[in-house]
């Protein structure tokens, strides 16, 4: 036996490159095949897909030269494997089992309260409609209050020279007197007539022939409840032109004449279309008072007198 050579299958044969030398070949050294003896850590090892854990230390330590690799033992059945890494332990994280919060405005989140908005809009429209209706109901035409009076609908009040109970049923408040002109005291050549149609007095009878100085009618009215301010309403007709007369209360002529303007806008000369109303503010005493309408110097008295009535207060 050659010194230093202990034969085949001795440590000398552990040289993985022995087959390259003559003495190695003489001793029967063969090239390795598939990672044989002497190539325990061959880089050509094949691993199953998913076996290597990236980012984790290798589960199999490199074997010492000439030693078989150390293989980690499998844990007991039902016990966690020390080499197992849960998905959430990877750098990229794993699937979360918590419920994701619903973002505002996304998915099936609750939208705007359209029902509440609709109710609010309907309420606004209803309020506007009610306001318009109230405004229209209260929008009476404003009476012309030019000097001496203007149109008045009060002259067509019930024709009575004596007070009567209030139509409202309030016995403590009596209606103020009203009278047809034909029942007045006629003076200065005035006379009754009915040839002009449209008078509201009973039978269509009115006081005419008033268009001259001295013509007058007098109303001795009783039943005034208290001293104070009152309004005298007069229904009259003019032939399509303005007129006026003197108003005297309890013997005192009023500073302002009774305005008998052509408020009906009748064509000139047309008495029938000239029927209209006027009023004058006066002061009366409690009890009986004398009211006189006359044509004095400076008055334009071309008019027919139809009815007179009183109401409390001034216009």
């Amino acid at each position: 036996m050659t010194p230093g050579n202990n034969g085949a299958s001795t440590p000398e044969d552990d040289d993985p490159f022995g087959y390259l030398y003559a003495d190695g070949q003489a001793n029967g050294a063969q090239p390795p095949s598939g990672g044989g003896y002497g190539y325990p850590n061959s880089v050509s090892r094949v691993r199953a897909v998913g076996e290597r854990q990236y980012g984790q230390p290798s589960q199999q330590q490199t074997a010492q030269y000439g030693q078989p690799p150390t293989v980690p033992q499998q844990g007991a059945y039902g016990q966690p494997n020390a080499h197992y890494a849960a998905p959430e332990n990877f750098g990229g994280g794993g699937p979360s089992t918590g419920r994701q919060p619903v973002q505002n405005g996304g998915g099936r989140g609750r939208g705007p309260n359209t029902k509440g908005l609709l109710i609010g809009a309907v309420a606004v429209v209803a309020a506007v409609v009610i306001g318009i209706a109230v405004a229209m109901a209260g929008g009476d035409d404003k009476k012309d209050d030019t000097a001496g009076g203007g149109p008045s609908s009060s002259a067509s009040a019930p024709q009575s020279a004596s007070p009567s109970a209030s139509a409202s049923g309030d016995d403590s408040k009596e209606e103020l007197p009203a009278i047809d002109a034909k029942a007045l005291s006629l003076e200065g050549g005035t006379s009754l007539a009915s040839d002009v149609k449209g008078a509201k007095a009973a039978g269509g009878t009115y006081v005419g022939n008033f268009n001259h100085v001295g013509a007058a009618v007098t109303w001795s009215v009783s039943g005034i409840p208290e001293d104070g301010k009152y309004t005298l309403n007069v229904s009259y007709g003019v032939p399509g032109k303005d007129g006026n007369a003197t108003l005297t209360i309890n013997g005192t002529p009023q500073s302002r004449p009774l305005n008998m303007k052509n408020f009906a806008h009748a064509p000139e000369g047309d008495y029938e279309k000239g029927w209209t109303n006027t009023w004058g503010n006066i002061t009366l005493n409690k009890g009986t008072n004398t009211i006189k309408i006359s044509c004095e110097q400076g008055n334009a008295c071309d008019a027919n007198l139809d009815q007179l009535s009183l109401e409390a207060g001034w216009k």
Side-chain angles (χ1 to χ4, degrees):
M1 179 175 299
T2 303
N5 187 350
N6 296 324
S9 300
T10 60
E12 289 82 356
D13 293 332
D14 289 340
D15 185 358
F17 302 103
Y19 68 95
L20 298 176
Y21 308 103
D23 57 346
Q25 293 175 1
N27 291 329
Q30 299 294 326
S33 176
Y37 178 76
Y39 292 85
N41 295 318
S42 174
V43 296
S44 63
R45 292 193 303 271
V46 178
R47 294 178 182 273
V49 175
E51 182 179 6
R52 177 174 294 278
Q53 300 296 325
Y54 295 98
Q56 302 292 333
S58 175
Q59 296 178 357
Q60 183 176 6
Q61 296 180 355
T62 304
Q64 299 296 325
Y65 180 76
Q67 298 296 326
T70 302
V71 179
Q73 295 183 355
Q74 180 69 33
Y77 179 77
Q79 297 297 323
N81 191 328
H83 299 282
Y84 170 77
E88 56 269 24
N89 291 334
F90 291 114
S96 173
T97 59
R99 182 179 300 274
Q100 296 296 325
V102 177
Q103 300 297 328
N104 291 336
R108 298 178 63 184
R110 185 172 182 177
N113 189 358
T114 56
K115 183 177 180 180
L117 294 176
L118 178 59
I119 294 175
V122 171
V124 171
V125 173
V128 172
V129 171
I130 293 174
I132 294 175
V134 171
M136 293 180 64
D140 293 335
D141 292 337
K142 187 175 181 180
K143 294 180 174 63
D144 187 339
D145 57 354
T146 54
S152 171
S153 60
S154 301
S156 60
Q159 304 154 8
S160 174
S162 60
S164 60
S166 172
S168 63
D170 185 1
D171 296 336
S172 63
K173 183 178 180 181
E174 297 179 348
E175 287 186 356
L176 293 175
I179 191 172
D180 287 343
K182 67 179 182 178
L184 299 175
S185 175
L186 307 183
E187 303 172 14
T190 56
S191 61
L192 299 180
S194 59
D195 52 314
V196 176
K197 306 301 180 184
K200 296 179 181 178
T205 302
Y206 56 88
V207 174
N209 198 24
F210 190 73
N211 190 21
H212 60 274
V213 175
V217 293
T218 301
W219 182 17
S220 181
V221 56
S222 60
I224 303 304
E226 59 184 359
D227 296 348
K229 298 177 179 179
Y230 294 85
T231 298
L232 173 67
N233 297 301
V234 180
S235 175
Y236 67 98
V238 290
K241 60 183 180 179
D242 298 339
N244 59 65
T246 298
L247 182 60
T248 302
I249 305 297
N250 295 324
T252 303
Q254 303 298 292
S255 60
R256 177 177 295 180
L258 180 65
N259 188 1
M260 304 176 77
K261 189 175 180 179
N262 180 26
F263 293 114
H265 304 290
E268 187 172 356
D270 193 341
Y271 281 94
E272 186 172 335
K273 292 183 179 179
W275 293 109
T276 185
N277 304 294
T278 190
W279 53 268
N281 291 329
I282 60 176
T283 300
L284 299 177
N285 302 321
K286 181 179 179 180
T288 301
N289 294 262
T290 300
I291 300 173
K292 180 179 179 181
I293 301 174
S294 62
C295 183
E296 307 294 341
Q297 191 68 39
N299 291 140
C301 307
D302 193 0
N304 295 322
L305 301 180
D306 186 13
Q307 293 178 318
L308 280 70
S309 66
L310 292 172
E311 63 179 280
W314 285 358
K315 291 184 179 181

